[in-house]
Amino acid sequence: MKNFILLFFAITILAHAQENNIDWILFKMKNLSYESYEILKLYDDLPEDLSYTNNSGAEYSTTKSTPTFFYIDKSTKISTLTSMSTNVHEICHGLTFIYFYREMGVNYLPHEFEDIKSYFYLSKDKKITNIFIGNVFPSKDLESRIPINLRTFRFNTYIQGNSSTQGDGIIGLLDEFNAYYHGAKYKFDMLPVYKSIYPKSYLNEWVMELQSEMTAFYEFDYWIKEYILLAKTQHTQLYSTIMKYGSAFHIYKNIYNNYKDLISKYTSKVNVLKKNTAYDHSSEIWEEDYFRLSNQLSDKKYTFINEMLNK
């Protein structure tokens, strides 16, 4: 009986410590990475069941099946800090899909069942409710356009795999692009926490955590550009829909510029810190895929897309 009581108290203390880790990281996020915090809060504030009725009287419903902190390893402060990036990424996906139902309950926009419906949290000042009308092609149709040397480790998941990039096409790619951006931004914003936890190796630890998400910008930018080029030459109606004002290209432009600005801040910050710290900073800023992808994206065939992105 004594051993049972001791075990009960040990479990209780552990559970309390883990919840304290969640409170600790949320406090840090609210002060350092508000957009990451707001993504979680908007999702957490949603009811478990959401529904709305369209103009014909048909009811659309869904369920919030994933808990807000489902993807966090909250066993220690370090594991909570590092796993929160994945959590922000995944909950951003949930928000993209589920928050649309909340928006339709407040401000209904006409649409059909087969339309691709989404809500993009782009920043604290910009959110877009999007209804994409028309047929898309799956991302696997890009496979033959991507040479072997440019097939990164995410290629299997998002071009060949069975993710939303197949059924939702370009909207699925944009959803992933946005989720990777927010996961990267969270890690970038949390530099002060890395400094406090790793006082002598914070730069190495921080850069190692950010390499992959920063390189992901070039992967998704490449795939989305190729999607647009394929639509332009073989799916002209889809291309017109993508490029229509307020549609997919508008969302792409916002994510692209957000991510590009983050990368600029990241490279500048790393370069400054490397000059001003005596501690270990041997980690590479990028994964090796960056060099091949950035070279590919300088191809002149993307010029007209880049010009529109930078207007």
Side-chain angles (χ1 to χ4, degrees):
M1 183 66 177
K2 181 179 179 181
N3 289 339
F4 174 80
I5 292 172
L6 290 173
L7 178 62
F8 173 79
F9 277 112
I11 293 172
T12 301
I13 290 168
L14 176 61
H16 182 67
Q18 290 181 344
E19 290 309 311
N20 281 348
N21 288 337
I22 294 292
D23 292 340
W24 167 78
I25 199 67
L26 288 176
F27 176 80
K28 298 293 186 184
M29 290 169 70
K30 190 173 183 179
N31 288 281
L32 297 171
S33 188
Y34 185 78
E35 290 178 348
S36 304
Y37 174 84
E38 189 175 37
I39 286 170
L40 301 186
K41 187 175 189 309
L42 287 173
Y43 182 86
D44 196 59
D45 287 346
L46 290 171
E48 294 301 312
D49 300 301
L50 297 99
S51 64
Y52 65 91
T53 304
N54 70 8
N55 287 344
S56 301
E59 185 179 60
Y60 294 74
S61 62
T62 191
T63 300
K64 188 173 72 171
S65 57
T66 304
T68 307
F69 307 114
F70 182 77
Y71 300 95
I72 300 177
D73 176 1
K74 55 188 179 182
S75 53
T76 67
K77 278 185 166 58
I78 292 175
S79 67
T80 303
L81 169 68
T82 56
S83 62
M84 179 57 86
S85 174
T86 299
N87 195 71
V88 169
H89 175 116
E90 296 298 342
I91 296 304
C92 186
H93 284 316
L95 198 67
T96 301
F97 172 69
I98 293 176
Y99 210 82
F100 179 88
Y101 285 77
R102 186 263 181 198
E103 290 295 283
M104 290 303 97
V106 175
N107 183 28
Y108 179 78
L109 299 172
H111 59 276
E112 301 299 329
F113 178 78
E114 62 272 16
D115 297 336
I116 301 173
K117 303 169 281 290
S118 56
Y119 172 89
F120 280 86
Y121 181 101
L122 301 170
S123 69
K124 62 184 176 63
D125 299 317
K126 191 154 196 174
K127 295 97 173 173
I128 296 176
T129 301
N130 182 258
I131 298 168
F132 192 90
I133 301 171
N135 296 321
V136 296
F137 61 83
S139 62
K140 66 182 178 182
D141 286 7
L142 300 176
E143 184 173 349
S144 62
R145 301 173 66 89
I146 300 174
I148 298 297
N149 70 311
L150 292 176
R151 296 185 179 186
T152 59
F153 83 94
R154 291 188 178 93
F155 175 87
N156 291 341
T157 302
Y158 300 113
I159 303 302
Q160 291 181 320
N162 194 31
S163 70
S164 65
T165 60
Q166 304 303 340
D168 292 344
I170 191 166
I171 299 300
L173 286 170
L174 291 172
D175 179 27
E176 290 294 345
F177 198 25
N178 195 45
Y180 273 100
Y181 162 70
H182 283 293
K185 188 173 187 304
Y186 159 79
K187 286 183 178 178
F188 176 83
D189 291 341
M190 300 304 279
L191 175 60
V193 184
Y194 279 86
K195 282 185 176 181
S196 66
I197 291 180
Y198 302 102
K200 293 187 177 181
S201 61
Y202 69 87
L203 184 53
N204 236 16
E205 297 293 338
W206 185 64
V207 169
M208 281 193 293
E209 286 290 330
L210 271 165
Q211 290 172 333
S212 182
E213 279 88 346
M214 290 303 182
T215 305
F217 167 84
Y218 298 91
E219 291 174 288
F220 283 96
D221 187 39
Y222 172 40
W223 297 334
I224 292 166
K225 281 182 166 70
E226 286 294 334
Y227 196 104
I228 291 170
L229 288 177
L230 182 56
K232 189 174 190 289
T233 56
Q234 297 186 25
H235 305 272
T236 54
Q237 182 57 54
L238 171 60
Y239 176 75
S240 296
T241 304
I242 289 171
M243 305 306 287
K244 185 171 64 176
Y245 178 77
S247 189
F249 192 85
H250 178 64
I251 295 168
Y252 171 38
K253 182 175 181 178
N254 276 273
I255 302 169
Y256 174 90
N257 286 312
N258 286 344
Y259 219 149
K260 191 176 179 182
D261 180 62
L262 180 65
I263 284 172
S264 177
K265 291 176 180 176
Y266 167 66
T267 53
S268 295
K269 177 64 74 174
V270 171
N271 288 332
V272 168
L273 290 174
K274 280 188 173 185
K275 289 178 181 178
N276 296 319
T277 180
Y279 301 125
D280 180 26
H281 52 262
S282 58
S283 293
E284 294 294 333
I285 294 179
W286 309 105
E287 291 186 331
E288 62 178 20
D289 293 330
Y290 157 79
F291 301 98
R292 297 191 299 274
L293 290 167
S294 59
N295 182 63
Q296 172 64 23
L297 286 164
S298 66
D299 193 302
K300 290 182 179 179
K301 68 179 178 178
Y302 306 123
T303 299
F304 82 97
I305 298 175
N306 289 327
E307 287 176 348
M308 297 179 71
L309 288 170
N310 293 313
K311 278 185 180 178

